[in-house]
Amino acid sequence: METKPPLPPFTLETALIKVQAAENAWNTRDPQKVALAYTEDSQWRNRAEFFSGREAIAAFLQRKWAKELDYRLKKELWSFTDDRISVCFEYEWHDDSGYWYRAYGNEQWEFAKNGLMQRREASINDVPIQESERKFRWERKPNL
């Protein structure tokens, strides 16, 4: 059986590990890698979009990161219970015209016993920002 530790029920320590792992995965901007954290039939609400399954998740993320360039995300644990975690987050990105945005949001996650996310509910708002207002800067490292 496929598993994605840490597994529920969550403690403060394991919930923090799960949140950091999600942040790290999303910052790779690799739709296939990110989709592996979800059950085959995972249910998603992202803003006004509703869909389910890994293939739909990967397709959604492909479209997202084709539009949201130089995406950089920071997640913070808000609360947790046995098999659920709630996070608040913000991320920055720019479009192909060079306009920058910061998105603020909240996610509610529900996990299967194997540690894969079976449900994700996300509410997100975008705010236009100037490049000089960016909070999340990181240097690109050369490919070695």
Side-chain angles (χ1 to χ4, degrees):
M1 180 178 182
E2 182 180 13
T3 62
K4 186 84 169 168
L7 308 178
F10 297 113
T11 64
L12 176 58
E13 179 183 7
T14 60
L16 288 167
I17 290 168
K18 203 67 149 173
V19 171
Q20 188 62 57
E23 178 183 309
N24 294 346
W26 278 65
N27 279 324
T28 68
R29 299 185 306 249
D30 181 337
Q32 297 304 320
K33 178 179 180 175
V34 173
L36 292 175
Y38 302 91
T39 61
E40 290 286 344
D41 61 349
S42 184
Q43 300 292 312
W44 270 42
R45 179 182 63 79
N46 194 87
R47 300 178 192 247
E49 290 188 60
F50 297 81
F51 49 93
S52 65
R54 280 189 186 159
E55 286 184 30
I57 291 166
F60 167 81
L61 294 172
Q62 183 71 37
R63 288 190 315 273
K64 173 184 180 63
W65 291 321
K67 175 187 172 196
E68 296 179 358
L69 306 175
D70 291 324
Y71 174 97
R72 180 74 170 108
L73 166 74
K74 183 66 182 153
K75 290 185 183 284
E76 180 181 346
L77 176 65
W78 186 258
S79 65
F80 69 95
T81 63
D82 292 338
D83 64 348
R84 294 181 177 184
I85 295 175
S86 180
V87 298
C88 53
F89 63 87
E90 52 187 328
Y91 64 86
E92 294 175 345
W93 59 279
H94 68 86
D95 62 19
D96 59 3
S97 297
Y99 292 102
W100 280 91
Y101 300 88
R102 183 174 304 119
Y104 297 93
N106 300 291
E107 293 175 334
Q108 286 66 247
W109 304 338
E110 182 179 66
F111 292 88
K113 291 181 190 233
N114 64 357
L116 295 173
M117 195 182 302
Q118 63 189 12
R119 184 171 150 205
R120 175 184 175 268
E121 302 273 337
S123 298
I124 307 165
N125 299 302
D126 293 315
V127 177
I129 62 171
Q130 298 296 315
E131 195 279 337
S132 61
E133 297 174 297
R134 289 177 54 210
K135 292 166 120 178
F136 309 127
R137 296 179 183 272
W138 50 297
E139 293 182 30
R140 292 184 186 268
K141 300 199 186 278
N143 293 334
L144 302 176

